[in-house]
Amino acid sequence: MTATLEPTTTALPPLRLGPLTVDPAVVLAPMAGITNPAFRTLCREFGAGLYVCEMITTRALVERNAKTLQMVQATRQEAAEGFSVQLYGVDPATVGRAVEMLVDEEVAGTRPAHIDLNFGCPVPKVTRKGGGSALPWRRRLLADIVRSAVAAARDVPVTIKTRIGIDAEHVTYLDAGRIAQDEGAAAITLHGRTADQLYSGTADWAPIARLVEAVDIPVLGNGDVWEADDALRLVAETGCAGVVIGRGCLGRPWLFGDLAAAFAGSPRRALPTFREVAAIMFRHAELLSAEQGEVHGCTDFRKHVAWYLKGFSVGSDIRRDLAMVSSLDELAGLLARIEDQPYPTAVLGGPRGRTSQPRPVALPEGWLADRDDPRPPAGAELLVGGG
C-alpha cells in the first residue's frame, strides 16, 4: 500500500493556535455533506491533524435548530482529542452568541478546541446576500464579527478562512489578514482563488506568500493540494505555516497519512491496491450507517463512490449498481466482484470533486459602494438553515 519516492528533507513544525498544537500542520476543510462525523473519523484514522465539521450557520445554532444541533455534535474521539467547528455568520452579535453557546454551554457535547469563521464561501446564494467571500469587502463589518467571536471564545483559538477577493478588481485578502490579526484571530487560511473563479482553473499561491509577509499570525494555504508533495511545494513556495485540504481527500482519506509522512520528512506515500481501497470504502459506509442508520448511511455513501473508483478499471454495470447501493451486504458483494488491481497512478496530481466555470459574483445591490459600512447584510444568516 505504500511507495517510497525520492528522499525529501522538508519537514514542517507543528502549528500553534493559542493553546492548541496541531501536528502535523494539516487541517481538513469543511465541506457541506462531506465532513460529517463519519468522514472526519475515517480521515483521522489515517493521520493526525485538525478535522473541522461541516459549516454551521450561527443563526440556526442560536435558534437551536434541531438539525444544526445534531450536525455540531462532537464524536467521542473528538471530545477527547479536540473538536473543531466552522461557523458562518454575518451579524457580530449573532456570531458572538453562537460562540458563547459552543464555549460555555457546550452544545456540541464538549468545549471546542478551535473555532473557524467562514469568509470564503463563493456560492451565489451566500454572496448575493453579502455573506461568505463577499463579506471581507466590508472591512468594518469583518472586524466587528472577528472581534465579537474572539471575545466570546476567550481561550479557544478563533481563525478565519477567506479567498483572494471578490474578483481581480476587488481584492480583499491583505485587509482581511490585517483585520484578523488586529482583532485577535489565531490564524488565517487563504484559498488561492477569487470568488468569481469558484473552483475553476488553477489556484494562485502567490497571494498566500504575500499574506505570509504581511501578517505575523500563521497563514494556512489552501487550493489545489491534490498530493502530499503539492503540500510540500505550497509550503516551500509561500512560507505558509500549514495546509488546508478540501477536494484533494475526496475518495482518498489516506492522503492525511501521506501528509503526516511528508511533513515529518518521510518520502513514504500510500498507493493502495483496489482490495485495500474496497476495505476503506466499506469502512466509510459502516461509519455512515452507524451514524445515520444503514439505509440512509449507504445512500449518503453513494456520492463518494465515483471518487473512490477514479482511475480503477470497473465495469459500467458495477459502477451503476454501486451508485444505487442501499445496504452494507449489497456493497460488500459488489466490491467483491471487482478484480484487485494496482492503484491507478495516472490519476495522481489531478483535480478531484467539483469543478466550475468562472462567473460574476452575485452581490447585494450597492454592496461595493462603501467598504466601511458596518451594517450586516439583511437576511443573509437565514440562507443556510440547518447547517
Side-chain angles (χ1 to χ4, degrees):
M1 183 171 177
T2 59
T4 300
L5 307 181
E6 290 300 315
T8 175
T9 57
T10 303
L12 193 67
L15 173 66
R16 310 288 183 182
L17 301 176
L20 179 64
T21 298
V22 182
D23 186 14
V26 175
V27 180
L28 169 65
M31 291 179 280
I34 303 294
T35 55
N36 49 33
F39 190 69
R40 300 196 304 270
T41 296
L42 184 66
C43 291
R44 190 187 291 266
E45 290 175 354
F46 286 95
L50 195 61
Y51 294 94
V52 188
C53 75
E54 296 175 76
M55 185 178 73
I56 301 298
T57 305
T58 53
R59 173 63 66 185
L61 183 60
V62 168
E63 294 181 352
R64 299 181 184 273
N65 174 277
K67 181 180 177 182
T68 300
L69 291 174
Q70 181 62 38
M71 287 173 63
V72 81
Q73 291 301 303
T75 67
R76 183 178 303 176
Q77 185 177 27
E78 287 170 333
E81 299 180 7
F83 181 51
S84 181
V85 182
Q86 188 185 73
L87 298 176
Y88 163 86
V90 298
D91 176 72
T94 305
V95 171
R97 175 60 187 137
V99 172
E100 285 178 352
M101 290 174 63
L102 288 167
V103 172
D104 296 336
E105 299 180 28
E106 298 187 2
V107 292
T110 186
R111 199 167 189 259
H114 161 250
I115 294 171
D116 188 52
L117 303 177
N118 184 299
F119 302 113
C121 180
V123 175
K125 71 177 182 179
V126 172
T127 61
R128 74 166 48 99
K129 294 293 186 177
S133 53
L135 197 142
W137 182 255
R138 295 287 180 91
R139 294 173 294 201
R140 285 184 59 190
L141 178 59
L142 176 66
D144 289 345
I145 292 173
V146 177
R147 185 185 313 120
S148 179
V150 170
R154 299 197 301 278
D155 60 328
V156 174
V158 173
T159 61
I160 79 167
K161 184 179 181 184
T162 190
R163 286 188 170 224
I164 294 171
I166 293 173
D167 52 38
E169 286 71 46
H170 301 91
V171 173
T172 57
Y173 74 97
L174 288 174
D175 281 342
R178 296 185 187 107
I179 289 168
Q181 177 172 285
D182 291 347
E183 300 302 337
I188 178 173
T189 295
L190 181 59
H191 183 118
R193 288 181 173 88
T194 51
D196 68 328
Q197 290 178 289
L198 295 171
Y199 296 94
S200 65
T202 303
D204 182 2
W205 292 348
I208 299 172
R210 288 193 284 272
L211 185 58
V212 169
E213 295 176 353
V215 299
D216 296 325
I217 60 175
V219 175
L220 306 181
N222 178 228
D224 293 3
V225 178
W226 310 115
E227 307 294 338
D229 294 288
D230 294 329
L232 293 177
R233 185 165 54 88
L234 174 57
V235 171
E237 291 182 8
T238 69
C240 64
V243 297
V244 176
I245 305 298
R247 294 175 296 156
C249 68
L250 296 176
R252 297 178 67 231
W254 58 86
L255 176 60
F256 292 98
D258 285 357
L259 289 161
F263 285 158
S266 168
R268 292 176 65 81
R269 305 289 184 267
L271 290 174
T273 66
F274 179 75
R275 195 54 52 219
E276 291 167 323
V277 171
I280 295 167
M281 293 174 71
F282 192 78
R283 169 67 174 155
H284 191 170
E286 278 188 318
L287 288 167
L288 286 167
S289 296
E291 177 186 318
Q292 304 176 22
E294 186 168 350
V295 173
H296 289 295
C298 288
T299 301
D300 194 7
F301 178 73
R302 295 173 185 172
K303 70 167 74 82
H304 298 270
V305 168
W307 296 324
Y308 277 113
L309 297 184
K310 185 173 183 179
F312 283 109
S313 177
V314 180
S316 58
D317 56 335
I318 297 180
R319 285 182 182 271
R320 182 186 62 249
D321 291 345
L322 282 169
M324 297 186 293
V325 71
S326 58
S327 75
L328 292 173
D329 285 344
E330 182 184 3
L331 175 61
L334 288 168
L335 292 175
R337 290 170 54 191
I338 302 172
E339 181 179 337
D340 197 17
Q341 53 197 285
Y343 194 81
T345 55
V347 305
L348 295 175
R352 308 182 73 83
R354 57 188 167 180
T355 57
S356 54
Q357 294 299 313
R359 60 185 174 195
V361 180
L363 296 168
E365 184 176 356
W367 185 251
L368 301 176
D370 184 1
R371 293 206 66 188
D372 293 313
D373 186 342
R375 294 173 296 175
E381 289 197 316
L382 304 180
L383 288 170
V384 203

